[in-house]
Amino acid sequence: QVQLVESGGGLVQAGGSLELSCTASAPVKIMGWYRQTPGKEREWVATIVSDGSLDYGDFAKDRFTISRDNVKNTVYLQMNKLKPEDTAVYYCKAAELWSTFVSSELGSWGQGTQVTVSS
């Protein structure tokens, strides 16, 4: 499994922006983000494949942008127009197979980074 190191996150006011990044220790086909708030299951945010194809969760489609740099093995998540309900720990995820990417137990996970949006 690749190792993932996240950066970014922090505290921002509602309507503001943040960018998260996640660097993998080796090339990996599928990279993306999940988020989790206390007492809730981990929620899928966005995914990007090495060929550039991407997809978003419904809440993220109009405000978040996922991108990746295959040379740097890094995925980014640009979050705009943030809302208090976006407050969560954001986790980077990487996998070679879709079945692994959607699994909560398999694949590689980042350490998580806190995003807090104040109202």
Side-chain angles (χ1 to χ4, degrees):
Q1 289 185 348
V2 298
Q3 305 299 312
L4 302 175
V5 178
E6 300 179 28
S7 62
L11 174 64
V12 64
Q13 289 188 335
S17 299
L18 281 174
E19 183 179 68
L20 309 180
S21 63
C22 171
T23 299
S25 57
V28 60
K29 180 179 179 180
I30 306 169
M31 299 186 78
W33 298 90
Y34 286 80
R35 69 183 187 181
Q36 190 169 25
T37 54
K40 294 186 177 180
E41 292 188 357
R42 204 162 285 188
E43 179 180 36
W44 170 62
V45 179
T47 307
I48 187 166
V49 185
S50 55
D51 63 3
S53 57
L54 46 80
D55 200 4
Y56 296 93
D58 288 341
F59 67 89
K61 287 180 179 179
D62 297 328
R63 299 183 294 121
F64 294 3
T65 302
I66 190 169
S67 61
R68 66 186 287 169
D69 184 330
N70 290 333
V71 174
K72 297 181 179 179
N73 300 327
T74 299
V75 61
Y76 305 93
L77 185 68
Q78 176 67 40
M79 303 183 292
N80 299 324
K81 301 179 182 178
L82 283 162
K83 304 175 182 179
E85 51 263 45
D86 293 318
T87 296
V89 178
Y90 284 70
Y91 294 92
C92 179
K93 179 74 182 285
E96 291 296 327
L97 303 174
W98 282 110
S99 59
T100 305
F101 186 84
V102 300
S103 169
S104 61
E105 299 179 349
L106 302 176
S108 300
W109 291 95
Q111 78 276 17
T113 186
Q114 177 70 46
V115 171
T116 303
V117 184
S118 62
S119 56

